[in-house]
Amino acid sequence: MPEHKRKVGDRGQVTIPKELRDRRGIEGGDEIEFVEVNDKIILKPPTDEERLAEGYRKRAERSRELAKEMEEASAEATGHLGDAPGWSE
């Protein structure tokens, strides 16, 4: 993980590197949370309801995609091997 160093301005301001902003979806005007953990200060975008809901939607969509892939693979296996003897759902 590359390190990004920045100087703190006289008023305590720091610019978050563009690469990190882009990767984390941080845009101008967004709020940032500062969390102190042991001897470190962690910056993170706040978890708002819409961002959380979007994560759940993406996860649900991926689950549906995987279920469809498994259904197709199962049907293909059944076509090649036939039903497993003694198997019941």
Side-chain angles (χ1 to χ4, degrees), residues 17-37:
K18 183 170 179 6
E19 175 187 343
L20 297 177
R21 292 190 320 260
D22 289 348
R23 206 165 47 230
R24 298 295 175 197
I26 300 170
E27 298 178 352
D30 287 352
E31 290 185 355
I32 297 294
E33 290 182 15
F34 292 82
V35 182
E36 190 172 0
V37 179

Side-chain angles (χ1 to χ4, degrees), residues 11-69:
R11 294 176 39 200
Q13 295 174 324
V14 178
T15 300
I16 301 170
K18 183 170 179 6
E19 175 187 343
L20 297 177
R21 292 190 320 260
D22 289 348
R23 206 165 47 230
R24 298 295 175 197
I26 300 170
E27 298 178 352
D30 287 352
E31 290 185 355
I32 297 294
E33 290 182 15
F34 292 82
V35 182
E36 190 172 0
V37 179
N38 298 324
D39 63 339
K40 297 178 181 177
I41 298 172
I42 298 172
L43 308 177
K44 65 177 195 166
T47 303
D48 60 30
E49 290 181 13
E50 182 53 39
R51 195 180 294 222
L52 189 59
E54 179 62 25
Y56 283 125
R57 283 191 290 273
K58 286 180 182 178
R59 185 176 183 144
E61 178 60 30
R62 182 63 184 139
S63 292
R64 285 190 289 275
E65 291 171 1
L66 288 172
K68 184 174 178 161
E69 288 176 28

